[in-house]
Amino acid sequence: MRLWYRTPARDWMQEAIPLGNGCLGVMVFGGAGLEEYQFTDSTLWNGGPNGPDGFRLGVRPGATEALKDVRRLLREGHIKEAEELGENQLTGLEPDFGCSQAFGRILVQMSGISSEIPDNYLRELNLETACASVRFESGERRIERMAFCSHPAGLFASRLEIHGAPADFLIKLESDHVGTLHGARGTDLFFARSGTWPARNFSRATHLSTAFEARLRIVTDGETEFAGGSCQIRKATRIVLLLGTATNYDPDAQDFLRKDWQPALLSRLDAAESLGFERLQADHVADHAMLFDRVSLWIDGPRQEDLPTDERLAAGIPDVGLIEQAFQYGRYLLIASSRPGGLPAHLQGIWNNSNTPPWDGDYHLNINAQMNYWAAGPGNLSECAEPFVDFIERLAGTGKRPAREIFEADGWCMFHRTDAWLSACPGRSLRWGWFPGSTGWLCRHLWEHYQFTGDREFLTRRALPVLLDAARFYLATLVEDGDRLIVSPATSPENSYTLPDGSQACVSAGSEMEHAIARDLFRICLRAAEVLGTEDALHAAIRKALPRIPEPRIGRHGQIQEWPYDVDDPDDQHRHLSHLYALYPGEEITDSHSGTGRAARLSLLMRGPGGTGWTRAWKLLLWARLRDGTRAEEMLAKCQNLVRSNDIDYEDGGGRYANMLCAMPPFQIDGNFGFTAGVAELLLQSHAGFLDLLPALPESWQSGEVRGLRARGNLSVGLEWKAGELVRAEISNPGNQAFTVRCPSFFVARQAHHEPPFFPARTDNGPWTLTVPHGTAWTLAAR
């Protein structure tokens, strides 16, 4: 469980090692003579709240009437005219949309290092301890560095030790922002800047709503001299660096800004210094292990563990150890980037080295933010999903305004993207910016959080009000179309289709994804009512409307139609797989041999095996849902493709960088999380109302073992298989509802602490089902 390299990192995106505590993210380069720790804080954004309600809505005047006209034009078949009007009137202005920001860097320059790659150099990241280390030799000296981001202490810590003669160092603390005050106080270097909110003349290059401060405490046995933003250290054999960051961002405050935010930063540093580095590290490792150690995965097969990580990726040969590592790396990154009380992981998690990152480093709500949390439930990290759950609840508040001012509807809605300021307006382009379907998709995550935790109080008090408010929006905005209710205007995120005259269009009167999400939301609301035993007039309206929403249509190629018109291009290999939402992440298509199951398979084949990093992860999950281990194995290999470019490739450049981060390219972290979810889905599925054990096992995974996976119903599952067949399963159900397990024909079940084993009564040799009552644990094994 380690990433390791024989050379320092030169490129931030491809080679540096990520550390994080859910808020503070650090990228470690591992340089010998010059070490760099580049850091970010998830709460540092430009842009800012604006307007009388404390949040922004860049809606164009006349949008409500334009919406009615667009619907009429689509109904009459004037698609180009509808699109032109929508492009001019329904797109958002996004006057001060936020962009996640870099924070700064620590530079540690050591004298006397003559070689860029000194003797016996080793750089590594230990996934089990969440610690990064560097070791090398220079002359008579042996140098060791250890670094980690501590969640308990709320800071970054680094220790440098020299075994041999002392050395001299120059340490600098640098900011990524102009107008920042630099200085030294006591044993601290710091920089700080006040916020500028509100701003009359907004400039994304200079405007920062948030005030911020970074403070670096230096503890050493050498002689120190502080000047400005640097510290000269002479004759040192040990240096401990403690870095803390803070901003005045507060999502729960009316103006998003916290008062008296700086004293807490000093308190954290004082407390950490008093504990000492070794105690800080022990507390950090224990905190990380509490989450990380819940799940283990071992696959029998070829391994290339004698090769550094970058060479393993480049080799492109069978390596099950790399699969195990990539699976756990996704869990590691989720722990590092998303902890309770913080913001959710954005497009790059919490790591960012630019004040103008790709796609603003924001929250894309048409796949990317959702994919970030697909692994949370099955990966036994539901706590790490709490920031996203909190965020969705806040969005449901700001989303009331566009529902009212654009659609004249009750409830709430969101569109294609948002930011730390909870922006709630359409994007600047109709093709990607108009996507009210994100509303229902976000609601699925509230339901999933309940399903994997079994927390009825959460469902009652927090999730249900948001779900029902979203349902009110859908009931008010679905458009009558004969005996059907459709979403209009609709898009299929970022894709388009060809009109009879050869031109392209991106809007239509309905689309499969919009309708699949609407169906999904209504079914979730009804299932929640069944769980809680509540039913009212709103549920009756949902029940009445649901059968009128169009089901998936099968087109002339045998595919699921992406659009309401049978115009799908069999050569369209667009990165989005929106028309397959009902297969994954939805739960509607559960039988791969049904008509829609076969159509979904054909649609997936038409999209091809390539794509961006996150596209490949989504395809892995879709093949898993189709129970096709062979195709899934092909996608596993595609996801491990080594990428050496940072240039944007929208369609077929995906894979991993040398540091194992997902390459779209450029870097997007969603593919890391999607891959982890995909591996879990190959081994265990629970979306169809029962536990399906090893549903899509790749042929090359002949033997293996997994422990600690989570299933819906809050079940803990461990599996062991040999010669491609399940030989043992351990299932624990601490929840409050019974669950059904689909068992192989030759298995018997034994309840923990009970004798004798349970032999199922059946008349054939097919699979049988076992009901696991709440509060029980069972072992299933071959007879």
Side-chain angles (χ1 to χ4, degrees):
M1 288 295 102
R2 67 186 186 121
L3 283 61
W4 66 280
Y5 308 87
R6 292 190 176 116
T7 59
R10 295 181 179 88
D11 184 89
W12 181 92
M13 189 173 293
Q14 297 189 31
E15 299 174 332
I17 285 174
L19 299 172
N21 65 5
C23 180
L24 175 61
V26 177
M27 294 292 272
V28 181
F29 281 73
L34 179 64
E35 173 64 290
E36 177 178 348
Y37 301 115
Q38 188 276 333
F39 60 92
T40 53
D41 184 305
S42 65
T43 63
L44 186 63
W45 290 66
N46 71 2
N50 194 345
D53 296 328
F55 54 86
R56 292 155 298 131
L57 185 67
V59 175
R60 298 178 188 275
T64 301
E65 293 304 314
L67 176 62
K68 297 174 184 177
D69 288 338
V70 168
R71 286 171 170 168
R72 175 182 55 78
L73 289 167
L74 287 172
R75 185 172 61 252
E76 295 171 353
H78 303 302
I79 296 172
K80 293 304 295 184
E81 292 84 349
E83 184 168 324
E84 182 178 357
L85 179 60
E87 193 69 47
N88 291 329
Q89 292 296 118
L90 296 183
T91 53
L93 300 172
E94 296 188 325
D96 51 356
F97 191 89
C99 177
S100 63
Q101 299 289 284
F103 212 115
R105 67 192 57 80
I106 304 167
L107 300 176
V108 182
Q109 185 174 347
M110 180 179 174
S111 63
I113 304 296
S114 57
S115 173
E116 184 178 348
I117 307 176
D119 295 338
N120 297 317
Y121 180 91
L122 176 65
R123 174 171 64 100
E124 73 173 34
L125 169 64
N126 188 314
L127 301 182
E128 292 178 312
T129 64
C131 293
S133 62
V134 177
R135 298 191 296 274
F136 60 89
E137 296 174 4
S138 178
E140 299 297 322
R141 298 188 180 108
R142 180 164 52 89
I143 295 95
E144 297 180 353
R145 292 198 293 264
M146 178 69 69
F148 56 87
C149 277
S150 169
H151 177 69
L155 48 73
F156 166 78
S158 170
R159 180 190 64 200
L160 181 148
E161 291 184 324
I162 297 177
H163 303 275
D168 297 342
F169 296 85
L170 177 63
I171 299 178
K172 296 180 180 180
L173 181 65
E174 297 183 346
S175 170
D176 285 309
H177 298 279
V178 297
T180 303
L181 172 67
H182 293 258
R185 190 170 299 148
T187 59
D188 295 352
L189 296 176
F190 71 89
F191 63 73
R193 176 177 157 174
S194 59
T196 55
W197 180 84
R200 288 180 177 270
N201 298 308
F202 174 76
S203 169
R204 297 192 67 179
T206 60
H207 175 47
L208 276 170
S209 300
T210 46
F212 63 85
E213 180 178 359
R215 188 171 286 267
L216 178 66
R217 183 153 300 176
I218 302 172
V219 182
T220 179
D221 61 359
E223 302 169 3
T224 59
E225 180 181 344
F226 290 84
S230 64
C231 175
Q232 183 76 47
I233 302 177
R234 297 181 178 85
K235 301 178 181 179
T237 61
R238 176 183 168 96
I239 301 173
V240 171
L241 304 178
L242 303 173
L243 172 72
T245 60
T247 76
N248 65 342
Y249 172 84
D250 182 356
D252 294 319
Q254 171 113 22
D255 59 1
F256 287 87
L257 303 179
R258 180 186 298 116
K259 310 297 187 291
D260 300 323
W261 54 277
Q262 290 173 295
L265 174 58
L266 284 170
S267 298
R268 293 204 308 271
L269 288 169
D270 291 341
E273 184 180 6
S274 66
L275 286 175
F277 183 89
E278 286 71 21
R279 174 63 185 277
L280 281 174
Q281 185 178 13
D283 291 348
H284 155 73
V285 171
D287 173 76
H288 175 76
M290 178 186 65
L291 297 168
F292 187 83
D293 289 354
R294 292 174 179 175
V295 176
S296 63
L297 172 65
W298 173 79
I299 305 167
D300 186 24
R303 301 166 183 274
Q304 315 300 328
E305 292 176 345
D306 57 334
L307 293 178
T309 302
D310 51 342
E311 295 181 26
R312 291 177 80 173
L313 287 165
I317 58 180
D319 186 348
V320 294
L322 205 55
I323 298 292
E324 297 167 1
Q325 192 174 83
F327 168 77
Q328 293 287 22
Y329 192 44
R331 298 182 67 250
Y332 164 86
L333 291 170
L334 188 57
I335 295 168
S337 63
S338 186
R339 290 292 197 104
L343 284 170
H346 56 63
L347 284 173
Q348 297 184 170
I350 54 172
W351 297 277
N352 177 22
N353 70 333
S354 171
N355 292 333
T356 56
W359 301 283
D360 297 326
D362 64 13
Y363 301 99
H364 275 36
L365 304 180
N366 66 359
I367 175 64
N368 313 95
Q370 290 91 333
M371 183 181 283
N372 281 359
Y373 289 91
W374 285 353
N380 210 339
L381 294 174
S382 288
E383 300 96 323
C384 294
E386 290 180 16
F388 194 40
V389 169
D390 296 342
F391 196 65
I392 294 169
E393 288 184 276
R394 296 189 185 105
L395 291 176
T398 59
K400 292 180 182 296
R401 189 173 170 191
R404 182 177 66 249
E405 297 191 12
I406 299 176
F407 295 91
E408 298 181 305
D410 291 332
W412 67 279
C413 73
M414 294 300 296
F415 293 91
H416 161 258
R417 67 176 189 156
T418 189
D419 56 12
W421 312 107
L422 308 179
S423 175
C425 67
R428 297 186 303 273
S429 167
L430 199 66
R431 178 170 175 170
W432 57 262
W434 182 267
F435 183 55
S438 67
T439 312
W441 197 343
L442 291 170
C443 287
R444 160 147 288 282
H445 280 262
L446 299 181
W447 177 244
E448 290 281 59
H449 191 67
Y450 160 71
Q451 288 199 104
F452 279 99
T453 63
D455 188 343
R456 289 174 62 92
E457 183 175 356
F458 163 78
L459 180 62
T460 303
R461 297 182 179 276
R462 298 178 60 188
L464 190 60
V466 177
L467 295 173
L468 295 181
D469 245 7
R472 290 185 181 94
F473 169 77
Y474 274 84
L475 288 170
T477 58
L478 286 168
V479 177
E480 294 279 350
D481 182 51
D483 60 351
R484 308 183 310 159
L485 291 174
I486 65 171
V487 175
S488 181
T491 62
S492 190
E494 303 181 30
N495 205 1
S496 61
Y497 60 97
T498 303
L499 293 171
D501 65 0
S503 63
Q504 294 292 300
C506 67
V507 295
S508 58
S511 71
E512 168 53 24
M513 184 178 217
E514 290 280 15
H515 293 154
I517 291 174
R519 297 190 303 265
D520 192 38
L521 172 64
F522 282 4
R523 289 187 177 113
I524 286 172
C525 289
L526 296 177
R527 290 173 66 186
E530 292 174 8
V531 170
L532 300 175
T534 59
E535 182 94 15
D536 57 19
L538 179 59
H539 291 96
I542 293 171
R543 203 177 295 280
K544 183 178 180 181
L546 176 57
R548 298 184 62 194
I549 302 172
E551 296 289 326
R553 292 184 176 184
I554 298 178
R556 67 185 189 278
H557 305 295
Q559 87 289 2
I560 289 181
Q561 286 184 203
E562 187 166 0
W563 306 95
Y565 329 111
D566 196 358
V567 295
D568 292 353
D569 181 356
D571 296 322
D572 178 12
Q573 298 194 1
H574 193 268
R575 59 194 172 277
H576 283 263
L577 302 146
S578 308
H579 53 314
L580 299 180
Y581 176 96
L583 178 61
Y584 190 97
E587 303 171 354
E588 185 174 351
I589 300 175
T590 58
D591 182 358
S592 59
H593 299 292
S594 66
T596 52
R598 291 193 299 271
R601 177 184 180 83
L602 185 57
S603 294
L604 190 50
L605 287 170
M606 286 167 58
R607 278 294 204 258
T612 67
W614 57 261
T615 302
R616 297 174 186 213
W618 196 356
K619 289 178 179 178
L620 169 62
L621 281 148
L622 290 164
W623 284 121
R625 283 282 173 93
L626 289 171
R627 302 172 61 85
D628 191 329
T630 301
R631 294 283 183 180
E633 190 162 14
E634 179 182 359
M635 294 316 306
L636 287 169
K638 289 281 187 179
C639 289
Q640 303 292 64
N641 175 53
L642 178 63
V643 177
R644 303 181 187 273
S645 171
N646 295 339
D647 296 334
I648 293 174
D649 187 333
Y650 280 107
E651 300 307 338
D652 195 23
R656 294 186 186 276
Y657 292 119
N659 56 11
M660 296 281 284
L661 291 175
C662 173
M664 178 176 171
F667 163 47
Q668 278 188 201
I669 203 168
D670 40 20
N672 287 104
F673 300 133
F675 182 88
T676 297
V679 171
E681 202 76 12
L682 296 174
L683 301 173
L684 175 68
Q685 295 180 19
S686 58
H687 62 286
F690 60 91
L691 286 191
D692 201 353
L693 311 179
L694 303 184
L697 189 70
E699 185 176 355
S700 66
W701 297 8
Q702 281 295 293
S703 299
E705 182 179 305
V706 66
R707 293 282 181 268
L709 290 180
R710 216 71 176 174
R712 293 164 183 83
N714 192 26
L715 277 70
S716 177
V717 179
L719 305 171
E720 181 182 351
W721 65 95
K722 293 180 180 178
E725 298 287 347
L726 182 71
V727 297
R728 184 179 178 88
E730 295 179 353
I731 303 167
S732 176
N733 182 4
N736 54 17
Q737 58 183 332
F739 214 85
T740 300
V741 185
R742 183 179 180 182
C743 305
S745 61
F746 52 89
F747 265 46
V748 295
R750 184 188 304 274
Q751 186 176 351
H753 312 299
H754 283 70
E755 298 285 352
F758 170 71
F759 293 90
R762 61 183 187 278
T763 58
D764 56 39
N765 291 321
W768 57 281
T769 60
L770 167 71
T771 299
V772 180
H774 64 87
T776 64
W778 291 74
T779 298
L780 308 176
R783 189 188 296 267

